[in-house]
Amino acid sequence: MQSLKKLDLKGKRVLTRVDFNVPLDGTKVADDSRIKAVMPTMNYITEHNGKLVLMSHLGRPKGKVVESMSLKPVAEYLSEMIGKKVKFIPSCISEDAEKATKEMKNGDIILLENTRFFPEEEKNDMEFAKKLAKLGDIYIDDAFGSAHRAHASVEAITHLFDVKAPGFLMENEVNYLSKLIENPEKPFVAILGGAKVSTKMDIIVNLLPKVDNILIGGGMVFTFFKALGYKIGTSIVEEDKIPVVKELLEKGKGKIVLPVDIIAADKFENNAQRRITTANFIPEGFMGLDIGPKTTENFNTILMQAKTIFWNGPTGVFELDNFSSSTRAIAKQLAMQTHHGVTAIIGGGDTVAAVNKFGLADSMTHISTGGGASLEFLSGLKLPGVEALR
Ligand code: AMP
């Protein structure tokens, strides 16, 4: 890959794909993490006298103009954040857009409207990409969160530029995640949780040969329990995945670590009646909402030995305070270990939300901004957005 730091940006229109797919509260940006994550790239381009042309998607407008998914509020937010006018262009492919990019001065910033307002974006359409490509002399991709999608502003467009490179966020993500699967410092332990096993199956298969242990928590644990013939009460389960989970348990013998106790509740509510049960017997009418204290201790003892840790998926329903203790304890454990030089990488929207909730995000080595993209990367799949930059 070419490197942004080696490019001559002066006076050039630097067409930069970012991931400004931020949550909006009406017309207000509700969480600016994704904007902050690309600030280093944006600052670098403007400080080196480039003309920064930003493009992004927001939400799933399905190829139509949907006012509530406009990037206009993001342009306003960004202007305020950096104290400098960010010009908003109401269509990403238009004569106006072309004219505006030609009138830019060095250091100016433009944000184009949602690329997904055109159906051609998700179709990876080359004609659409050609129109976008008219807006830049250099192409930079800093949208790691979109790298697993072969969309026109991520994939097709790269074939139209000789000068193209990843932004700093993209570069960081690829470096950290590559190291994780190619050359992790051992012992390497993965913690996987979250609601569903179906979304984590491939990653378990791909990580098994590379890790020393995989600790399993969250709602997905009950499909493992069911496969083992345990009583799981009314816990969440994916019956159709039981055969594959049986195979995983066989393949992962000695590496996969399951909970020994569970915090069960009579309903999915914070003030539900709670019971600590053994893993193999959750009473009828109760559902497992968190892993138990013994399990948390077991997990932390294993983590204590690790030099590299990857965590995707909360180990309990952390959104409900009474069922957040294991997720909180693991986050604290990781924060403590990173302080002592251990590499802890967090992926997935909910896990990131959890460490944010506990105020521990800054203590982690790396927080992956791309949930789906990081999962696919670690599952061994090639990401179109990354491959296209090579
Ligand atoms: P995922 O998107 O698959 O990573 O799932 C994340 C969600 O899993 C979070 O919102 C958690 O509340 C939820 N979760 C964690 N543990 C459980 C559980 N035992 N039962 C149901 N949902 C859970």
Side-chain angles (χ1 to χ4, degrees):
M1 284 194 210
Q2 300 178 60
S3 160
L4 173 56
K5 286 219 164 140
K6 296 217 171 112
L7 303 181
D8 177 15
L9 306 174
K10 194 170 173 193
K12 307 263 172 54
R13 295 169 309 157
V14 187
L15 182 57
T16 305
R17 176 60 157 97
V18 288
D19 180 2
F20 281 169
N21 184 23
V22 295
L24 291 178
D25 183 4
T27 55
K28 291 253 170 312
V29 173
D31 182 306
D32 65 0
S33 320
R34 286 190 166 150
I35 301 177
K36 285 192 178 139
V38 291
M39 284 312 293
T41 299
M42 290 172 48
N43 287 339
Y44 183 87
I45 293 169
T46 52
E47 280 161 15
H48 286 78
N49 293 313
K51 302 167 178 174
L52 179 60
V53 183
L54 297 165
M55 59 179 169
S56 174
H57 74 282
L58 195 157
R60 296 185 176 180
K62 304 216 166 95
K64 283 197 238 60
V65 176
V66 178
E67 216 43 60
S68 61
M69 294 179 197
S70 170
L71 280 161
K72 190 158 184 248
V74 179
E76 286 160 8
Y77 188 89
L78 194 55
S79 296
E80 254 179 56
M81 188 168 153
I82 58 178
K84 179 174 165 172
K85 170 118 188 94
V86 174
K87 188 169 181 172
F88 177 69
I89 306 290
S91 171
C92 63
I93 48 159
S94 58
E95 275 177 22
D96 276 356
E98 223 181 310
K99 189 160 163 272
T101 65
K102 287 193 175 139
E103 287 168 358
M104 291 173 91
K105 297 196 183 65
N106 295 358
D108 278 357
I109 307 177
I110 276 180
L111 173 61
L112 305 169
E113 181 58 290
N114 198 338
T115 49
R116 285 198 192 160
F117 281 181
F118 292 86
E120 294 93 332
E121 163 73 337
E122 294 191 47
K123 290 185 186 139
N124 203 20
D125 183 273
M126 190 46 98
E127 291 312 307
F128 177 70
K130 279 183 187 161
K131 289 178 192 158
L132 286 174
K134 283 188 186 167
L135 309 177
D137 308 305
I138 290 174
Y139 174 79
I140 300 294
D141 188 356
D142 213 18
F144 181 72
S146 307
H148 56 319
R149 312 253 184 245
H151 290 173
S153 66
V154 171
E155 207 283 331
I157 196 166
T158 59
H159 303 286
L160 305 165
F161 285 88
D162 291 329
V163 186
K164 56 194 167 193
F168 300 133
L169 171 70
M170 177 78 120
E171 203 169 49
N172 247 338
E173 293 270 17
V174 173
N175 285 346
Y176 272 117
L177 298 178
S178 305
K179 192 169 165 232
L180 211 55
I181 42 175
E182 282 159 18
N183 191 19
E185 203 184 336
K186 298 276 222 158
F188 174 21
V189 177
I191 314 157
L192 298 177
K196 290 187 168 178
V197 68
S198 45
T199 53
K200 308 271 158 73
M201 210 90 86
D202 293 340
I203 195 168
I204 298 176
V205 172
N206 199 44
L207 285 183
L208 263 178
K210 305 173 205 301
V211 292
D212 295 275
N213 285 116
I214 296 189
L215 317 180
I216 306 221
M220 70 182 205
V221 97
F222 302 103
T223 305
F224 285 82
F225 286 177
K226 190 87 193 256
L228 289 167
Y230 294 0
K231 297 257 179 291
I232 61 162
T234 49
S235 306
I236 183 172
V237 64
E238 286 173 280
E239 300 273 355
D240 59 322
K241 294 291 173 295
I242 289 174
V244 208
V245 163
K246 280 187 177 157
E247 275 173 40
L248 278 182
L249 281 168
E250 193 54 41
K251 266 194 208 142
K253 252 194 191 142
K255 284 193 174 182
I256 290 182
V257 183
L258 292 173
V260 292
D261 59 348
I262 289 293
I263 304 181
D266 64 343
K267 46 184 181 259
F268 198 96
E269 275 174 24
N270 191 43
N271 57 4
Q273 193 193 326
R274 288 193 305 160
R275 233 185 242 191
I276 296 175
T277 73
T278 56
N280 61 359
F281 200 92
I282 299 172
E284 266 317 308
F286 277 75
M287 62 183 88
L289 293 188
D290 197 5
I291 56 174
K294 269 201 202 114
T295 306
T296 306
E297 210 181 304
N298 287 353
F299 281 13
N300 280 348
T301 306
I302 296 169
L303 289 169
M304 217 108 74
Q305 319 297 318
K307 289 273 185 300
T308 307
I309 300 168
F310 172 67
W311 184 14
N312 188 309
T315 47
V317 184
F318 75 96
E319 297 92 336
L320 306 177
D321 284 342
N322 287 336
F323 301 96
S324 66
S325 40
S326 74
T327 309
R328 186 188 296 269
I330 288 170
K332 274 192 186 160
Q333 175 73 25
L334 265 49
M336 196 261 289
Q337 285 183 242
T338 34
H339 193 67
H340 292 104
V342 168
T343 302
I345 296 176
I346 315 291
D350 286 303
T351 325
V352 177
V355 293
N356 273 325
K357 178 175 167 171
F358 306 138
L360 293 169
D362 290 342
S363 306
M364 305 299 161
T365 315
H366 177 69
I367 299 224
S368 181
T369 48
S374 67
L375 275 185
E376 288 198 16
F377 193 88
L378 295 176
S379 299
L381 296 173
K382 296 219 179 293
L383 305 184
V386 174
E387 292 311 304
L389 294 174
R390 288 192 201 281

